[in-house]
Amino acid sequence: MGKRFYCDFCDRSFADRGLNRKNHFKGLQHQRMKKQHYDNFRDAASILAEDSSKTPCKRFFMGSCDYGDGCKFSHMTPEKRQFLQQQVTNDKEEKERRLMLEGSEPTLEEWLEKRNKKLRKDNPSENRPDIHYELPPFLMHVPNLPPSLLPPTAEELINKPHCEWG
Ligand SMILES: [Zn+2]
Ligand SMILES: [Zn+2]
């Protein structure tokens, strides 16, 4: 028995002589298995993106297409598309969960800093203090409001002595 070549993609072996191997690699069946193999490692988003540029395969949707996954037209059924879209959602949630675990979420200080920067950018003329309270409109015209209802100014808050409870 001569040397045999085992193809991982196709899960089959054949006599490794002459042009056998080369011809096998060129074969449609092999190309298809190879693509299928790598597709398993591609994320659903890129499969969907690639598919969206293809026109539906007439042969496939009329019955059967010999090109299988190697076809240059789309074989995407509504079920498969739905499955992949679900996959995209899952991937996204998984990624977010991982980000949170890795602590790459902004800290509260970073978040506030970013927010204040945005507020200043949105209202550059108004030199708005970071702490800003306003009286609700329906209270604006009520005379002699009790002090507990008056909105504090930023200065008042900053200059307030820090009290401990209890
Ligand atoms: Zn093969
Ligand atoms: Zn096809």
Side-chain angles (χ1 to χ4, degrees):
M1 199 172 116
K3 223 171 96 192
R4 293 187 71 79
F5 177 80
Y6 173 76
C7 179
D8 279 309
F9 296 114
C10 306
D11 189 25
R12 60 175 280 241
S13 63
F14 48 84
D16 193 13
R17 65 184 124 85
L19 291 172
N20 272 5
R21 201 194 297 196
K22 212 167 168 185
N23 285 336
H24 174 80
F25 288 158
K26 273 195 285 191
L28 197 61
Q29 174 69 16
H30 174 80
Q31 304 272 341
R32 196 183 297 167
M33 296 307 280
K34 192 171 152 187
K35 185 171 185 308
Q36 207 169 64
H37 175 78
Y38 285 115
D39 274 353
N40 289 336
F41 298 104
R42 284 201 319 164
D43 59 312
S46 55
I47 296 176
L48 281 173
E50 190 193 298
D51 187 74
S52 68
S53 64
K54 292 181 188 171
T55 41
C57 178
K58 282 199 192 88
R59 249 181 301 201
F60 178 77
F61 289 102
M62 297 275 282
S64 76
C65 167
D66 290 339
Y67 292 102
D69 288 330
C71 185
K72 64 174 178 165
F73 298 109
S74 168
H75 287 189
M76 185 71 70
T77 59
E79 292 79 29
K80 193 170 180 207
R81 179 171 292 119
Q82 203 182 3
F83 173 81
L84 286 171
Q85 271 156 357
Q86 183 59 48
Q87 198 66 35
V88 172
T89 313
N90 292 350
D91 286 353
K92 225 166 98 189
E93 281 171 4
E94 176 60 29
K95 209 178 266 171
E96 273 162 20
R97 207 171 312 138
R98 219 176 310 139
L99 275 179
M100 228 141 76
L101 283 177
E102 284 167 5
S104 27
E105 285 274 283
T107 64
L108 179 61
E109 284 76 17
E110 283 165 352
W111 187 85
L112 282 172
E113 169 75 14
K114 222 165 129 190
R115 178 176 171 275
N116 289 337
K117 244 185 223 158
K118 191 179 174 304
L119 283 177
R120 278 194 291 269
K121 216 173 89 196
D122 291 348
N123 314 288
S125 55
E126 193 183 339
N127 200 2
R128 152 204 278 276
D130 292 338
I131 313 160
H132 188 70
Y133 294 98
E134 253 167 35
L135 205 56
F138 65 93
L139 283 178
M140 292 271 196
H141 307 294
V142 181
N144 301 323
L145 275 176
S148 61
L149 282 183
L150 290 173
T153 65
E155 289 71 35
E156 268 176 353
L157 281 177
I158 289 163
N159 297 327
K160 267 257 174 329
H162 180 73
C163 305
E164 294 269 354
W165 286 96

